[in-house]
Amino acid sequence: MRIHPKYIQLIGDSVIPLLGFFFWNWNLYFILIFYFLDLVTKEVLLHLKSRKIQNFKKEEAKVGLNNESTPWIKFAITSILLFVFCVVLVQLSMPFIQPDFICIDQLIRFWTYKDMGGIEQGYIFLPLIIFMGYTQYKMEFLKPLAFMKTSIKDLWAPHLRSVVVIFGCIAFSFGLVHFISIPEFVFVIGIVVISSIFQYLQLKKNT
């Protein structure tokens, strides 16, 4: 039985944060950085895919096969604005969870942390996330010629739903931390569980 590559990615997206928190001495902010890096990679790949689709539509239009033209800028702006709001709310929420939180210090600690054979993990995770994202782009979008049968709207819709859900969860957490103190591991488990369930439902819907 062949396992769909996206299910393997889903497992990886769930296991790595849990390993990081419970075995690699990551904190909650490290987990959030990991997910944001993944989200940024997906956003960049969406632009590559959109450009490929648009170029294909233009070629079809030249020979009179298709006059459809859907610029993706409106989807990109919506996504970027939601992403910025998410980042801002995270920065405002973290001092309630980690009283000594300083953003720059945490970013440097995440990049320079060594627990993988003495190599700073930033040099491992960033290239790995980019490599996996680009490999998925080639295997699932270019080789099967998905750009020939996918519209830009259909391409961006699942991503925008994901970002809206992320924003909703972060906004809810932002309000919650003002009233009650919640341990970091509760947030980590919640993030992994909600992310896994949402990704699984998205996969089931698209397969």
Side-chain angles (χ1 to χ4, degrees):
M1 179 179 176
R2 184 175 179 271
I3 300 176
H4 196 289
K6 288 190 176 181
Y7 285 106
I8 297 175
Q9 181 183 357
L10 189 156
I11 293 171
D13 288 346
S14 304
V15 170
I16 291 176
L18 292 176
L19 288 174
F21 187 79
F22 290 106
F23 297 101
W24 299 338
N25 201 32
W26 284 13
N27 57 35
L28 172 61
Y29 197 68
F30 283 19
I31 307 294
L32 293 171
I33 293 172
F34 173 80
Y35 276 111
F36 278 141
L37 283 174
D38 184 60
L39 190 61
V40 169
T41 302
K42 289 177 180 177
E43 182 95 15
V44 172
L45 290 175
L46 278 173
H47 286 284
L48 289 177
K49 292 177 180 179
S50 298
R51 183 178 180 82
K52 186 69 177 178
I53 291 171
Q54 194 168 71
N55 287 339
F56 175 72
K57 300 296 184 184
K58 286 180 179 178
E59 290 300 319
E60 282 192 321
K62 286 180 181 178
V63 294
L65 294 177
N66 194 329
N67 292 318
E68 178 186 352
S69 178
T70 308
W72 72 89
I73 186 66
K74 61 180 180 179
F75 302 114
I77 290 174
T78 303
S79 181
I80 290 171
L81 286 175
L82 285 170
F83 178 80
V84 170
F85 290 149
C86 288
V87 172
V88 170
L89 284 179
V90 165
Q91 308 311 313
L92 295 175
S93 301
M94 285 306 300
F96 291 93
I97 304 167
Q98 296 178 6
D100 59 345
F101 173 78
I102 300 176
C103 176
I104 298 299
D105 287 351
Q106 291 294 325
L107 290 171
I108 294 173
R109 282 187 58 203
F110 176 83
W111 185 271
T112 59
Y113 182 75
K114 296 180 181 179
D115 196 23
M116 301 178 182
I119 302 174
E120 294 181 350
Q121 68 180 5
Y123 293 105
I124 297 175
F125 278 111
L126 186 58
L128 181 62
I129 290 173
I130 294 173
F131 172 77
M132 290 177 63
Y134 188 71
T135 300
Q136 182 183 351
Y137 167 67
K138 289 199 301 182
M139 298 300 295
E140 298 179 16
F141 191 74
L142 295 183
K143 284 193 175 182
L145 304 179
F147 59 89
M148 298 176 65
K149 46 198 174 186
T150 304
S151 69
I152 289 178
K153 181 179 179 180
D154 291 339
L155 180 71
W156 279 87
H159 177 73
L160 289 177
R161 283 196 297 268
S162 299
V163 180
V164 168
V165 169
I166 292 169
F167 174 73
C169 291
I170 293 176
F172 175 76
S173 300
F174 174 70
L176 197 62
V177 296
H178 282 76
F179 300 101
I180 58 175
S181 177
I182 302 174
E184 284 192 42
F185 79 88
V186 174
F187 280 108
V188 172
I189 298 297
I191 290 169
V192 172
V193 169
I194 293 172
S195 173
S196 299
I197 291 174
F198 183 78
Q199 289 185 66
Y200 176 75
L201 292 176
Q202 289 283 86
L203 285 173
K204 291 291 287 185
K205 184 179 179 179
N206 297 326
T207 56

